[in-house]
Amino acid sequence: MSERSAAAHRSLAVLGCLALFAAACGDGTVQVPVPNPDAATRRLCQGLRLPEKVHGQKRRDTSPDSPLTAAWGSPAIALRCGVPLPATLRQTSELVTINGIDWFGQPSERPVTFTAVGRQAYVEVTVPPKYNPAGDVLIELGPAIKATIPAKPEGQI
């Protein structure tokens, strides 16, 4: 191997390591499962205008690419719009209301997953422990949800 080709080989190896490091640090795409809502819910979710930063974290690309998903930071804060009603949600479940949006939390799991309920589309937000308190993330996402996803009639979750 010539000195020139050895240098080129080392350069490629360094670039490959840097690419791997960048992906490990969260600069790549985030795998976020895409929900499969009905057409009306899909239209509502596609109108959601989300911020470029949440909790000081930049928005990241999601895979598969979908207007129904979003992510910020590393580890990723993930949002899915158009998810089904949470299986454990009951009329008597405790909800947290933040700026006019009712959230059903499943904080016994890590990361914490909250679902905006009482709206015409359910919006799920998963918040890794790194970003505690999770309520700060919900405060930042709330205005976009409130402006785009209409509330259901009083008393409906």
Side-chain angles (χ1 to χ4, degrees), residues 21-29 60 74:
F21 181 74
C25 288
D27 291 335
T29 61
R60 296 176 59 187
S74 179

Coordinates of all heavy atoms in Angstrom, one line a residue, residues 21-29 60 74:
F21 N -19.9 7.9 15.6 CA -20.0 8.7 16.8 C -21.1 9.7 16.7 O -21.9 9.9 17.7 CB -18.7 9.5 17.0 CG -18.7 10.3 18.3 CD1 -18.6 9.7 19.5 CD2 -18.8 11.7 18.2 CE1 -18.6 10.4 20.7 CE2 -18.8 12.4 19.4 CZ -18.7 11.8 20.6
A22 N -21.3 10.4 15.6 CA -22.4 11.4 15.4 C -23.7 10.7 15.6 O -24.6 11.2 16.2 CB -22.3 12.1 14.1
A23 N -23.9 9.5 15.0 CA -25.1 8.7 15.1 C -25.4 8.3 16.5 O -26.5 8.4 17.0 CB -25.1 7.5 14.2
A24 N -24.3 7.9 17.2 CA -24.5 7.5 18.6 C -24.8 8.7 19.5 O -25.5 8.5 20.5 CB -23.2 6.9 19.1
C25 N -24.4 9.9 19.1 CA -24.7 11.1 19.9 C -26.1 11.7 19.6 O -26.4 12.7 20.1 CB -23.6 12.1 19.7 SG -22.1 11.7 20.4
G26 N -26.8 11.1 18.7 CA -28.1 11.5 18.4 C -28.3 12.5 17.3 O -29.3 13.1 17.2
D27 N -27.3 12.5 16.4 CA -27.5 13.4 15.3 C -28.2 12.8 14.1 O -28.6 13.4 13.1 CB -26.1 14.0 14.8 CG -25.5 14.9 15.8 OD1 -26.3 15.5 16.6 OD2 -24.3 15.0 15.8
G28 N -28.4 11.5 14.2 CA -29.1 10.8 13.1 C -30.6 10.8 13.3 O -31.1 11.5 14.1
T29 N -31.3 10.0 12.5 CA -32.7 9.9 12.6 C -33.1 9.1 13.8 O -32.4 8.2 14.3 CB -33.4 9.3 11.4 OG1 -32.9 8.0 11.2 CG2 -33.1 10.1 10.1
R60 N -35.2 16.7 15.5 CA -34.5 15.6 14.7 C -35.4 15.0 13.7 O -36.6 15.0 13.9 CB -34.0 14.5 15.7 CG -33.0 15.1 16.7 CD -32.5 14.0 17.7 NE -31.9 12.9 17.0 CZ -31.6 11.8 17.7 NH1 -31.8 11.7 19.0 NH2 -31.1 10.8 17.0
S74 N -31.3 14.1 22.3 CA -30.8 12.7 22.5 C -30.5 12.5 24.0 O -29.7 13.2 24.5 CB -29.5 12.6 21.7 OG -29.0 11.3 21.8

